[in-house]
Amino acid sequence: MAAECYEKLIGDLKKLRLPAMVEMLDSYTKQAVSSSMSYMDFLSGLVSEEVSYKERRSIQSRIKSAKFPVTKNLDDFDYAFQTSVNRKKLEELSNLRFIDNKENVLFLGPPGVGKTHLSIGLGVKACEAGYKTLFTTLNDMVSTLIASMADNSFATKSRTFTQPSLLIVDEVGYLPVSKEGANFLFQIVAKRYETGSIILTSNKSFADWGEILGDSVIASAILDRLLHHSTVFSIRGDSYRLREKKKLIGGEEK
Ligand SMILES: Nc1ncnc2c1ncn2[C@@H]1O[C@H](COP(=O)(O)OP(=O)(O)OP(=O)(O)O)[C@@H](O)[C@H]1O
Ligand SMILES: [Mg+2]
């Protein structure tokens, strides 16, 4: 390829924002010369590089805007350790039809049993499949909404929690929620009801939600909407965080 033509092509690809094609052009050209690659194969191979680069980038950007506290994958979940998690049910959820169907998933159980891990695992899958996802703790969501009242940004802030295809609300039950906070949770759940999925984790059983939210009427209205189309996992068992400690204690006892 004449140097002038090459420079122009690189310049045009940059203008069109096709960085993977720019990067792969040389190696593809060499390959095309050394093999009997057709023009069509050459072009389609180069374009595929750009498409997969753009797909990878948009997955990364969805994962970044989901604000996961850490990255967790469903594949790393040890079902042998946490036998109360129904693997088949979880694998069914990982096909993400629950998001298309605007259904909810609730993970209940004591500390360390994998509630957050499984929520993030499903959230990462959702990002990979192109669904806009947001992770928050109940406390952070409520604090953001309460603060938004002070600067009149409630409409915008509440959209943050109603717009994503999947909203993950972690840690319902650890910290007490004010009456105002419970009202905000109700508003978000009501707005998302049958319009967007929620994954929620809680260390408390549903019977205790009236106490957590300081209002049994609001609690049952929230639960009614959350549970109408939902899959519930009640995880029982030991904390994964303490498994090594348990071995240690076991070792000392022998
Ligand atoms: N069955 C499991 N297989 C592999 N890792 C696990 C399993 N269960 C939990 N973990 C890991 O143990 C740690 C604690 O799990 P996680 O944060 O999901 O617990 P949790 O149920 O959300 O607890 P908490 O109620 O205290 O928030 C994480 O690092 C998680 O990746
Ligand atoms: Mg957790």
Side-chain angles (χ1 to χ4, degrees), residues 14 72 75-77 96 114 145 166 180 201 208 228 254:
K14 282 184 179 165
K72 296 283 174 186
D75 293 342
D76 300 331
F77 193 78
L96 307 174
L145 292 172
L166 175 63
E180 200 184 9
T201 79
D208 296 329
H228 184 194
K254 273 174 203 165

Side-chain angles (χ1 to χ4, degrees), residues 242-254:
L242 300 181
R243 72 197 187 291
E244 295 302 331
K245 302 278 183 307
K246 280 209 131 180
K247 271 187 214 159
L248 213 69
I249 294 163
E252 278 170 5
E253 277 172 357
K254 273 174 203 165

Side-chain angles (χ1 to χ4, degrees), residues 19-196:
M21 287 180 76
V22 171
E23 196 179 323
M24 298 305 289
L25 183 64
D26 284 356
S27 62
Y28 261 77
T29 311
K30 270 188 204 135
Q31 222 182 308
V33 169
S34 67
S35 66
S36 52
M37 196 186 281
S38 70
Y39 291 123
M40 200 55 101
D41 285 345
F42 172 79
L43 186 60
S44 97
L46 210 48
V47 170
S48 295
E49 292 286 350
E50 188 64 41
V51 170
S52 37
Y53 166 77
K54 291 239 155 69
E55 277 171 0
R56 280 198 308 276
R57 228 181 43 167
S58 58
I59 289 172
Q60 278 163 8
S61 127
R62 272 193 297 277
I63 288 180
K64 194 164 172 235
S65 31
K67 301 199 169 85
F68 298 118
V70 284
T71 305
K72 296 283 174 186
N73 290 300
L74 292 180
D75 293 342
D76 300 331
F77 193 78
D78 181 355
Y79 291 90
F81 180 83
Q82 213 52 265
T83 50
S84 69
V85 175
N86 184 331
R87 183 174 192 158
K88 203 163 156 249
K89 209 156 88 169
L90 201 86
E91 282 172 352
E92 242 171 69
L93 285 176
S94 67
N95 68 27
L96 307 174
R97 266 200 297 277
F98 76 98
I99 302 181
D100 293 328
N101 297 340
K102 330 284 185 205
E103 293 168 2
N104 303 320
V105 180
L106 287 93
F107 292 107
L108 306 180
V113 293
K115 303 180 297 296
T116 304
H117 182 130
L118 294 172
S119 306
I120 296 175
L122 285 172
V124 168
K125 281 235 168 236
C127 291
E128 286 168 354
Y131 296 101
K132 191 168 165 24
T133 300
L134 180 70
F135 180 102
T136 179
T137 61
L138 175 60
N139 196 46
D140 284 352
M141 180 170 81
V142 160
S143 307
T144 303
L145 292 172
I146 291 176
S148 75
M149 297 305 279
D151 62 3
N152 285 330
S153 63
F154 177 74
T156 320
K157 291 283 158 50
S158 73
R159 272 201 297 278
T160 313
F161 302 108
T162 53
Q163 263 180 353
S165 305
L166 175 63
L167 175 70
I168 302 174
V169 183
D170 199 23
E171 297 184 353
V172 174
Y174 279 119
L175 297 172
V177 179
S178 66
K179 175 118 181 116
E180 200 184 9
N183 288 343
F184 282 132
L185 175 61
F186 172 75
Q187 287 186 49
I188 299 299
V189 170
K191 278 207 184 111
R192 295 188 66 88
Y193 174 61
E194 296 187 335
T195 67

